[in-house]
């Protein structure tokens, strides 16, 4: 019994493509590593400079851990909520800022502990060293994906 009468072309045209992003996690503010290890998720504010971040549920987010020990992309996460209240106060190293409308990311891959994905590797693939938030092009997303 056929339930739907869609051609393959119609299905391809209507599939929403996931976007991929990279975010820099400053460990001097929040212990992201411990938070992700203990809860399997982390939270992110929507505001970015002059505007909001444009992520949607299902998008992929690569987290670059910025500190003196790691200083590389370590996590591949998925946006599971675009309107979540922060629940990570115990991981903050500075004064906690309550945010009732932020992104929630769920860890969905093993932690990357290799020697690649550092600032120079990112720059070699067109991702500026000091970027805090960036939507990746397909080539950049494919390159990062192969490590996870």
């Amino acid at each position: 019994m056929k339930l739907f009468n869609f051609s393959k072309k119609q299905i391809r045209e209507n599939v929403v493509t996931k976007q991929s992003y990279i975010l820099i996690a400053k460990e001097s503010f929040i212990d992201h590593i411990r938070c992700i290890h203990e809860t399997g998720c982390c939270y992110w504010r929507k505001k970015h400079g002059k505007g909001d971040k444009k992520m949607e549920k299902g998008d992929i987010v690569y987290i670059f851990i910025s500190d003196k020990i790691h200083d590389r992309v370590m996590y591949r996460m998925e946006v599971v909520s675009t309107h979540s209240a922060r629940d990570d106060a115990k991981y903050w190293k500075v004064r906690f800022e309550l945010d009732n409308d932020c992104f929630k990311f769920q860890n969905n891959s093993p932690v990357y502990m290799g020697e690649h994905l550092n600032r120079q590797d990112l720059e070699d693939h067109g991702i500026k060293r000091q970027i805090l938030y960036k939507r990746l092009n397909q080539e950049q997303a494919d390159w990062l994906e192969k490590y996870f």
Side-chain angles (χ1 to χ4, degrees), residues 32-75:
H32 296 91
I33 294 172
R34 197 174 110 214
C35 181
I36 295 168
H37 175 75
E38 292 179 2
T39 68
C41 68
C42 69
Y43 301 85
W44 222 271
R45 65 183 179 167
K46 289 184 177 182
K47 293 288 181 196
H48 170 69
K50 298 177 183 175
D52 287 351
K53 294 176 183 77
K54 306 292 184 197
M55 293 180 280
E56 299 292 332
K57 190 173 178 181
D59 285 346
I60 300 302
V61 179
Y62 294 93
I63 306 292
F64 183 101
I65 300 296
S66 178
D67 66 6
K68 292 181 181 183
I69 297 169
H70 304 94
D71 215 37
R72 69 188 69 254
V73 175
M74 292 179 61
Y75 298 98

Side-chain angles (χ1 to χ4, degrees), residues 11-19 56-59:
I11 292 170
R12 275 194 307 272
E13 289 173 352
N14 289 304
V15 170
V16 176
T17 305
K18 289 183 187 178
Q19 298 295 322
E56 299 292 332
K57 190 173 178 181
D59 285 346

Side-chain angles (χ1 to χ4, degrees), residues 43-47 81-88 92 96-104:
Y43 301 85
W44 222 271
R45 65 183 179 167
K46 289 184 177 182
K47 293 288 181 196
S81 176
T82 58
H83 300 287
S84 184
R86 289 198 88 102
D87 189 23
D88 60 354
W92 282 57
F96 175 70
E97 295 177 22
L98 180 63
D99 186 347
N100 288 318
D101 188 28
C102 62
F103 294 105
K104 181 177 181 180

Side-chain angles (χ1 to χ4, degrees), residues 91-144:
Y91 303 103
W92 282 57
K93 296 177 179 179
V94 296
R95 195 175 115 236
F96 175 70
E97 295 177 22
L98 180 63
D99 186 347
N100 288 318
D101 188 28
C102 62
F103 294 105
K104 181 177 181 180
F105 306 147
Q106 186 74 41
N107 190 25
N108 63 2
S109 294
V111 178
Y112 177 75
M113 298 297 288
E115 295 300 316
H116 300 285
L117 307 182
N118 57 39
R119 290 184 193 272
Q120 185 59 53
D121 290 337
L122 295 179
E123 198 165 84
D124 290 346
H125 287 84
I127 303 168
K128 294 179 184 175
R129 286 178 175 266
Q130 302 306 322
I131 198 79
L132 297 176
Y133 159 79
K134 176 182 178 20
R135 187 172 117 188
L136 302 171
N137 64 37
Q138 192 61 52
E139 184 179 313
Q140 292 165 335
D142 290 345
W143 169 69
L144 280 167

